[in-house]
Amino acid sequence: MKFLRTLPAQTRRDAWVEINLGAIEHNTRSIRAMLPHDVAMMAIVKADAYGHGAVMAIPTLEASGVSMVGVAAMDEAIQIRKSGIEIPVLVIGAIPDWAVQVAADHDVSLTIFDDHHLEALRKSYSQMGRRVKVHVKVDTGMHRIGIHWEDAAAFIQKCRQADYMELEGVFSHLACVEDPEFTRRQHDRFQSVLDQLETPPRYVHLANSAAALLYPECRYNLVRPGIALFGYLGAEIGAANLQPSGKPMQLVPVMSLKARIVHLQDVPPASGVSYGHTFKAPQGSSLRIATLPLGYADGIPRLLSNRMEGLLRGHRVRQVGNVTMDQLMFDVTGVPDVDVGEAITLIGEEDGHRITFTDWAKTLGTIEYELMCSLRVRLPKTYTRD
């Protein structure tokens, strides 16, 4: 495999994201060990691998048992190809007409689900003479994209008869993995489509991270783990029911978020901190306040203001005052001899203490996906392997 990659340019920031490639390997191999040998793995690396850096993560994923990757849009697929990565790539989102010729140029598989896609494929083949690999998306209840499950078998047969494309796969997407009854309903609808086919395409896939681990009947011959590869199953699922070989599977969070203290000051009693003075020092005592150079422009939700903690030398320290665009503050009064330049961990583990995206998600009433993706805008990444 030819592979070209460079480390991120030095941005001279005192706030950064750390990606542990060793944790990616651990999670991937742990999931692989739970699956039958004849079930392949497609790693979902959309949104730059949920903010972890797709180009840097894919070689580790491939070396650990992944045989294909899925992305949301053509620009993500092209970024992978231009980096010299040759692993099979599927665009799992809806595609515009122009994407067909680009897919042919770069050996990228596409998702299709209506006659308009067939016409675009036919025109591309007539102009270029190259067949594009396609996967048919079946809507079994997500109601986002895909051909309705009752019409899917006829459409798949039409695709099989077309000489201007290569039918590589058929798939659907589960809407409520936390709901076993509705998951079974979607599975049954998908299976009814397959039962109408004389032979299925090469790849049949339905299961995302949680479904691949919780619902063996949904695995077929390809599963699509995404967030589990990066250490999470989702706040709505949890990992309590996963019992590979009688032992609970331990996923390891891959991403940490850290920043160095750039300023320290003693705030007098009853004095406010940050915009709006939503936090004030107690009436009877001053506080030692540390300023970090990151804020909501870096993806730290402003709604976490006064509601999150950090780790400093193994001590839990609380964030105080409103999170601002580029800076936020922590109360480090209880940690002796703190100095400028010391790092505070906002997401990660230190001396047996851990703060995760699940902690943030529970506080905000959201999901880990949203939070980890938001950190990819301007924070530099460093890569480690523990």
Side-chain angles (χ1 to χ4, degrees):
M1 178 186 72
K2 181 180 72 172
F3 178 57
L4 305 173
R5 60 176 174 172
T6 57
L7 291 175
Q10 173 56 258
T11 58
R12 312 258 179 219
R13 287 283 311 267
D14 274 331
W16 68 97
V17 166
E18 288 184 7
I19 309 298
N20 184 349
L21 296 175
I24 292 178
E25 178 180 359
H26 167 84
N27 295 334
T28 306
R29 292 189 183 279
S30 296
I31 297 168
R32 175 69 270 174
M34 293 185 64
L35 300 173
H37 294 297
D38 58 351
V39 176
M41 292 173 61
M42 177 198 300
I44 301 302
V45 294
K46 60 185 179 178
D48 201 25
Y50 304 105
H52 293 76
V55 169
M56 294 295 288
I58 288 173
T60 299
L61 291 166
E62 188 172 12
S64 305
V66 165
S67 56
M68 182 185 300
V69 297
V71 297
M74 183 57 71
D75 63 330
E76 296 177 330
I78 297 308
Q79 180 189 33
I80 291 169
R81 286 289 182 258
K82 287 186 175 180
S83 298
I85 298 173
E86 298 174 353
I87 191 171
V89 178
L90 170 66
V91 177
I92 59 176
I95 51 103
D97 290 354
W98 59 260
V100 176
Q101 291 193 9
V102 177
D105 285 337
H106 294 278
D107 190 23
V108 171
S109 299
L110 298 178
T111 292
I112 65 170
F113 47 84
D114 64 30
D115 288 340
H116 178 77
H117 296 141
L118 301 187
E119 179 61 18
L121 287 160
R122 186 195 64 77
K123 287 182 178 179
S124 174
Y125 179 71
S126 67
Q127 295 170 3
M128 303 180 66
R130 290 200 295 273
R131 294 178 177 84
V132 175
K133 300 182 184 74
V134 301
H135 291 228
V136 173
K137 176 68 178 288
V138 180
D139 183 2
T140 56
M142 181 76 168
H143 299 315
R144 188 167 60 177
I145 62 172
I147 185 165
H148 192 276
W149 62 277
E150 292 180 326
D151 304 318
F155 182 77
I156 293 168
Q157 182 61 24
K158 186 186 299 186
C159 294
R160 192 185 296 279
Q161 294 172 348
D163 62 358
Y164 48 82
M165 65 175 139
E166 180 182 341
L167 179 60
E168 185 179 49
V170 58
F171 72 109
S172 188
H173 192 86
L174 297 171
C176 307
V177 180
E178 67 275 20
D179 182 343
E181 181 179 350
F182 191 75
T183 297
R184 281 193 294 271
R185 189 179 310 165
Q186 284 194 266
H187 168 266
D188 291 346
R189 290 170 176 174
F190 187 60
Q191 184 61 49
S192 74
V193 174
L194 299 175
D195 290 343
Q196 297 175 64
L197 305 178
E198 185 175 342
T199 57
R202 178 182 178 185
Y203 293 115
V204 178
H205 45 115
L206 176 63
N208 59 6
S209 289
L213 304 175
L214 294 172
Y215 300 103
E217 68 275 17
C218 292
R219 291 171 180 165
Y220 291 97
N221 67 356
L222 179 68
V223 296
R224 304 189 304 265
I227 197 170
L229 299 167
F230 305 108
Y232 295 86
L233 275 179
E236 74 278 24
I237 302 297
N241 294 323
L242 304 181
Q243 298 290 328
S245 302
K247 298 179 181 179
M249 184 180 70
Q250 296 296 323
L251 297 176
V252 179
V254 172
M255 182 185 294
S256 299
L257 172 63
K258 301 180 181 182
R260 293 189 183 93
I261 297 170
V262 295
H263 180 61
L264 287 162
Q265 61 179 304
D266 293 315
V267 173
S271 296
V273 174
S274 193
Y275 290 121
H277 284 183
T278 57
F279 172 85
K280 291 185 178 181
Q283 288 285 347
S285 59
S286 62
L287 298 178
R288 188 74 166 158
I289 300 298
T291 300
L292 303 185
L294 79 167
Y296 59 75
D298 298 295
I300 310 299
R302 191 170 179 272
L303 288 174
L304 281 177
S305 298
N306 298 301
R307 304 171 71 189
M308 63 176 167
E309 295 180 315
L311 301 174
L312 174 59
R313 293 193 226 146
H315 297 270
R316 287 186 175 268
V317 292
R318 58 176 177 161
Q319 187 275 325
V320 295
N322 277 331
V323 174
T324 70
M325 182 179 288
D326 310 296
Q327 300 176 84
L328 50 75
M329 282 65 73
F330 278 84
D331 175 6
V332 297
T333 308
V335 184
D337 302 321
V338 176
D339 204 354
V340 168
E342 291 193 67
I344 292 179
T345 298
L346 285 78
I347 294 289
E349 187 173 6
E350 191 175 302
D351 293 341
H353 297 280
R354 174 176 287 180
I355 299 173
T356 68
F357 285 109
T358 301
D359 297 324
W360 284 14
K362 288 179 178 178
T363 299
L364 296 172
T366 186
I367 56 177
E368 294 96 337
Y369 300 79
E370 177 185 2
L371 297 168
M372 61 179 61
C373 287
S374 68
L375 298 179
R376 70 189 182 95
V377 178
R378 70 175 188 177
L379 286 170
K381 296 182 181 68
T382 64
Y383 289 85
T384 64
R385 183 180 287 276
D386 294 341

